[in-house]
Amino acid sequence: MAPHRRATLSVRVPVPRPLPLLPLLPLLLLLALLPATPSFASPTPSSGTAAPLPDSLEARRAAEATALYGDSAVRPLAERPVSVVSLGDSQISGEGVGNYEPPTDGPDNWCHRSSDAAIHRTGIPADITYNFACSGASTENVRIGGTPQYADELVQSDSLAIAARNTRVDTILLFVGANDDLQFGPVMTDCVVSWFLFWQGPCHTDYAPGWQARVDGLRPKVEATITDLHTVMAEAGYAPGSYDLVVASYPGPIGPDIHDNPGFPGKIPGGCTGYDSDAVWGRNVAVPSFETGIRAAALAAGATYFDLSRLFHGHEVCMEDPWVRGLWIDLLSHFPPDENTVRQSFHPNSKGHAAFADCLTQLHSLGATPAEASCAVPAGTSAPLLYTHAWNDVFTPLTNTATGQCPAVSATRNGTPVTGTPCTGDRAQQWWHDPATGALHTALSHDRCLDIPGGDYRAGVELGVWDCHGDANQRFTLSPAGTLSPPAAPDLCVTQSAAGARLTLQPCTGSPAQSFT
């Protein structure tokens, strides 16, 4: 990794240990809202002249240039240090990681920019890393002419405008949209409180009917924000294609398969407080719908779309190796309790930001910027891997030729059977065969794969889903005819013998019952 200089002073501060949760349950009733979250080989930059900045911004630019160079002059692009920039909200600012840069840890500024945020940890060869993201930011806090979040903050597009004139910006990473119409943070808070107040029942029944309308409402705001960022760069003298603007989708913080974790600590000690049914809806409906809206906005506005919606599958709160901080009550810094007491909850932790950084580094290493890419953990590994496709384009139903039915799972708990069902196109019927690993992933979770229980390669063995681990009993060869056969037992083929039947292994015969298209 190339050495870099951060654009802001980083001071390590001790992060308070969370207090025991059970005695503090009554305090949750006081918390009405959780704050919302929640280089590519660069072409030669334009040599165009930057448009003048307003006087107040020009004074700040000149001061920052003096700190960098010893004088306030604007250097030619080729003579400037290379920088990378993160913009947006708490998903990328570092909320939940700790080690917050002053003055962003309150009491007058709660941006919670962490010195350990992803933008400071990539392998992109940059001289300077700028983290302008701020916890709670909406598109209003990023767009041209928008509103600063705090008195000592700039609108994020103004911060970018200054950085683009003092350095050569190579890559911009944007996470935004969760705090607009979606209001993801307050929704999470409501769901947590509903679980503690057990008589309220699951929260998803309240939010599901209007969720798509929320996504539809935020999409044009995100698209307009991306367009504004392109305008900022053009006004700073950058030609189209001379920088990369990467717009990322959000990974879900909680999944329903926590009970498969052999070290499951319990919902309260683990901080995964919520109804399992709410976690199912969040993973299977809420996050995918949000992801689809961000994708549409990014592609329409000419940005690179980076699908990270599946990145935390298998690493959610209360899983074996969580990349997300669970419910976190900080009374040492916030007493009496207020909206900041739980603001660090359900955000990517240090491992989550390491995963973001790893994914962005791999994207950068491609050399040429794709229109879209994805990142997730493949079967049998714990490290993210880049894919040059969007997940929505590769997960598809498999139709059995004999029955016309589609194999599906009713859930993703380990051992859930895979059964033929009438084809509807539902995510539970969608699968992706990874040609690199041979794993057949269900669209519901990248961490669940078609599995031959115990590696029992016998005719009649019934198949299910299990934690993806990459062993031979989760590897299948997909033939041009649509047959699926384990390389460890090539004479056996996945078979649906009748309508509604569970998938089994049977001797390969070339029968339509063994063809999936």
Side-chain angles (χ1 to χ4, degrees), residues 21-22 54 77 89 100 104 116 139 210 226 247 265 276 295 323 389 408 417 430 434 486 501:
L21 293 174
L22 194 56
L77 276 164
D89 57 31
Y100 301 122
T104 68
D116 297 318
T139 54
I226 299 167
V247 178
D276 290 352
R295 181 192 189 195
W323 293 356
H389 58 237
Q430 296 179 17
D434 184 347

Side-chain angles (χ1 to χ4, degrees), residues 152-195:
D152 58 346
E153 289 287 318
L154 296 178
V155 176
Q156 292 183 36
S157 57
D158 288 342
S159 294
L160 175 63
I162 292 172
R165 287 163 171 79
N166 284 338
T167 66
R168 180 159 67 89
V169 174
D170 179 272
T171 302
I172 305 163
L173 176 62
L174 174 68
F175 276 89
V176 76
N179 300 323
D180 287 86
D181 303 60
L182 208 66
Q183 289 293 292
F184 196 82
V187 170
M188 284 292 300
T189 296
D190 188 33
C191 293
V192 169
V193 172
S194 295
W195 182 81

